[in-house]
Amino acid sequence: KLLNLINESNILIIPGGNPEMLYYKIAMEFELLYVLKHYNGLIIGESAGACIQFREYFITKENNYHGYKAWYPGFGVLDDTFYIDVHTRDNNDYTEQLQKISNKRQKKIYALHEEDSILYNRETMKLKYFGNVNIIIPKKRK
C-alpha cells in the first residue's frame, strides 16, 4: 500500500528526526530503498530527511545523538558531489570541523542554518540556495 502511494505521487516529503532510525524504517522495515533511490518526483527533505538522500552523509558531534562525528549510509538519491550540514553553527571551532571534512573529501559543504534551504535539480545538477548558507570550499591538497 505504501509502495503504491509513493509510485502514484509527484512529491515526497521526508521528515527530520533521528536519521539512523529513519534510514532503518525506510530501508529495512519498509524495504523502500530502491524505490526512493529511483523516485523521479520532487523530494523534499527536512533535516535528517535531507541528509539521508545522499549516498553517504556525516553528522557533526554537536548534532549527533551519540555525541560524536560520524558517517552514515544514505539512500543514494543524490551522488555525493557535495555535502550538507544541517543545524549549522557560526563559531570558529565548528567551522574548522566542517573545513577539515571538506578538505579531506575535497567537496563543498553547504552549511544550513535553521531558516536556510537548498534546491538541487538532479537532472541538471544545478543548486540554488536560500538564506544565509555558509559554503565551505575545500582547500587544495599539496
Side-chain angles (χ1 to χ4, degrees):
K1 191 164 185 160
L2 184 58
L3 180 61
N4 290 340
L5 286 172
I6 292 171
N7 285 332
E8 294 170 4
S9 72
N10 295 319
I11 300 173
L12 287 178
I13 299 174
I14 304 174
N18 181 324
E20 291 173 281
M21 188 181 305
L22 186 58
Y23 182 87
Y24 176 81
K25 286 275 189 195
I26 291 171
M28 305 304 196
E29 192 172 315
F30 294 115
E31 298 179 350
L32 293 172
L33 189 59
Y34 182 84
V35 172
L36 291 181
K37 184 172 181 165
H38 298 286
Y39 182 76
N40 287 323
L42 176 66
I43 301 175
I44 299 171
E46 172 145 355
S47 188
C51 293
I52 64 174
Q53 291 183 51
F54 290 85
R55 191 170 30 85
E56 178 184 52
Y57 65 95
F58 69 89
I59 300 178
T60 61
K61 65 182 178 181
E62 292 84 353
N63 291 330
N64 195 335
Y65 292 99
H66 304 296
Y68 53 81
K69 181 190 84 170
W71 289 87
Y72 297 99
F75 297 155
V77 172
L78 301 175
D79 287 329
D80 300 344
T81 56
F82 63 92
Y83 294 112
I84 60 172
D85 176 54
V86 297
H87 312 294
T88 200
R89 295 181 167 104
D90 289 325
N91 68 56
N92 288 339
D93 290 340
Y94 194 86
T95 302
E96 284 177 22
Q97 185 181 173
L98 296 179
Q99 187 67 60
K100 287 179 184 177
I101 295 167
S102 176
N103 293 349
K104 184 173 183 176
R105 297 292 176 117
Q106 286 295 293
K107 295 182 183 176
K108 286 183 184 177
I109 297 174
Y110 293 89
L112 300 138
H113 305 84
E114 301 302 319
E115 64 280 355
D116 300 337
S117 60
I118 60 172
L119 177 65
Y120 182 72
N121 185 318
R122 291 180 282 161
E123 291 178 13
T124 64
M125 298 176 69
K126 292 197 177 178
L127 184 135
K128 292 182 184 180
Y129 53 91
F130 305 91
N132 188 27
V133 177
N134 296 341
I135 303 170
I136 312 297
I137 298 171
K139 295 180 179 173
K140 302 276 185 212
R141 295 180 181 158
K142 295 179 181 180

